[in-house]
Amino acid sequence: MGLTSLRERLASVSASRILLGLDFDGTLAPIVPDPDQAAPNPQAVALLSELSHCLQRIVIISGRDTDFLVSRLALPQALFIGNHGLEERDGGASRVVPEAQPYLERLARASQAVEALPQARAPGITIERKRATVSVHFRQAAEPSAAGAALRPALQEIAGREQLQLQPGRLVWEFRPPIDVDKGAVLRRLAAVMQPAGVIYLGDDRTDAAAFSALKRMTGSRTVAVGVRSPEVPDDVFVDSDLMVEGVAGVTQFLTQLLDVCANA
């Protein structure tokens, strides 16, 4: 989508009434072998800082926990939604949504059970314990696909025993509470509360498909769903996207265009 097309899609929408949502990994930050080393594109962060002064609100919606997001993104006016909607941070302390609270002990037991698995001790397997989820990364394994397949049966058994969901991601398995919260639900809730005239969302992974779907079906606001293409994610994830950009660099270009729209509104 060029600058003219973006303006046309947001025609008659005041920039001050646009809600902008973005994923973190693969969207603002390049995917890296060690998740702890992920860092956002500095130019993208600078653009978001400028956009925060003209848009209604910027919200980061990620599978990361909110403490990590705040440590990487110097955006004091942004709203941070972590663990795909299971926790939230808006200027103060992070909080886990009430529906997830009963599952925190089960997640702790699941994490301990994974740590005890022989498969999880293989080189390149890392366990990430977050506030409301547990992620098992296999990106750094010698053969990631084989490592993920080897982990799956044992992880499914643990998930069943603890009554948790086991979801796949980009070379990661994730344990989650079995509650109906995803990025699409987050956007619907925020739109209902904030009543924006326009909603834009950028994301790159399977968990972002729910956000794209929510925008496609949203009424009362002009919407732009932006898929961020990468070799690891199949095209069917982006079936509800309005446009595609190429990786983190493409996101930066899009934000530059959006800032131009703001400047000339």
Side-chain angles (χ1 to χ4, degrees):
M1 179 183 287
L3 182 56
T4 301
S5 298
L6 182 59
R7 282 177 174 160
E8 289 175 351
R9 195 162 187 94
L10 297 174
S12 75
V13 176
S14 169
S16 64
R17 295 198 59 208
I18 292 176
L19 172 64
L20 172 63
L22 308 97
D23 184 23
F24 180 79
D25 292 288
T27 299
L28 289 175
I31 298 293
V32 293
D34 183 353
D36 289 338
Q37 299 304 312
N41 180 303
Q43 186 179 355
V45 177
L47 288 164
L48 287 174
S49 181
E50 291 188 64
L51 285 165
S52 68
H53 298 295
C54 67
L55 301 182
Q56 181 172 354
R57 198 73 196 268
I58 293 174
V59 55
I60 308 300
I61 311 175
S62 170
R64 299 280 193 165
D65 66 36
T66 52
D67 290 343
F68 177 91
L69 295 172
V70 170
S71 74
R72 295 300 195 274
L73 295 167
L75 298 169
Q77 298 183 54
L79 170 63
F80 294 92
I81 306 291
N83 286 296
H84 308 297
L86 294 173
E87 62 167 310
E88 181 174 321
R89 182 165 177 160
D90 190 4
S94 300
R95 69 175 187 89
V96 174
V97 298
E99 304 95 308
Q101 292 283 351
Y103 295 94
L104 299 185
E105 187 174 333
R106 294 178 182 273
L107 286 162
R109 289 199 300 264
S111 180
Q112 293 171 353
V114 174
E115 290 171 358
L117 292 174
Q119 304 95 307
R121 297 174 186 168
I125 308 299
T126 58
I127 302 166
E128 182 184 9
R129 177 73 172 93
K130 294 179 278 189
R131 190 174 275 109
T133 59
V134 176
S135 295
V136 184
H137 299 271
F138 47 92
R139 176 176 297 278
Q140 297 186 73
E143 297 184 20
S145 295
L151 284 164
R152 183 174 184 173
L155 299 186
Q156 287 178 322
E157 192 278 329
I158 293 170
R161 185 171 69 238
E162 296 297 344
Q163 297 181 317
L164 298 169
Q165 290 180 349
L166 181 67
Q167 294 188 348
R170 291 181 67 168
L171 302 181
V172 61
W173 290 107
E174 184 171 81
F175 292 93
R176 294 171 48 82
I179 58 179
D180 188 19
V181 176
D182 58 27
K183 293 184 178 184
V186 169
L187 284 176
R188 287 191 295 271
R189 174 175 62 83
L190 293 177
V193 172
M194 298 181 185
Q195 294 292 301
V199 183
I200 303 171
Y201 183 79
L202 295 89
D204 72 299
D205 202 355
R206 288 194 176 278
T207 58
D208 298 301
F212 302 146
S213 177
L215 290 197
K216 186 174 184 178
R217 292 157 179 77
M218 191 173 288
T219 59
S221 301
R222 290 181 178 266
T223 62
V224 184
V226 184
V228 183
R229 186 178 284 113
S230 76
E232 294 178 356
V233 182
D235 288 342
D236 64 347
V237 168
F238 306 109
V239 66
D240 288 326
S241 298
D242 298 305
L243 71 144
M244 299 294 299
V245 298
E246 297 295 332
V248 175
V251 172
T252 301
Q253 293 172 357
F254 179 88
L255 295 177
T256 301
Q257 293 176 351
L258 183 57
L259 185 61
D260 190 86
V261 169
C262 287
N264 293 280

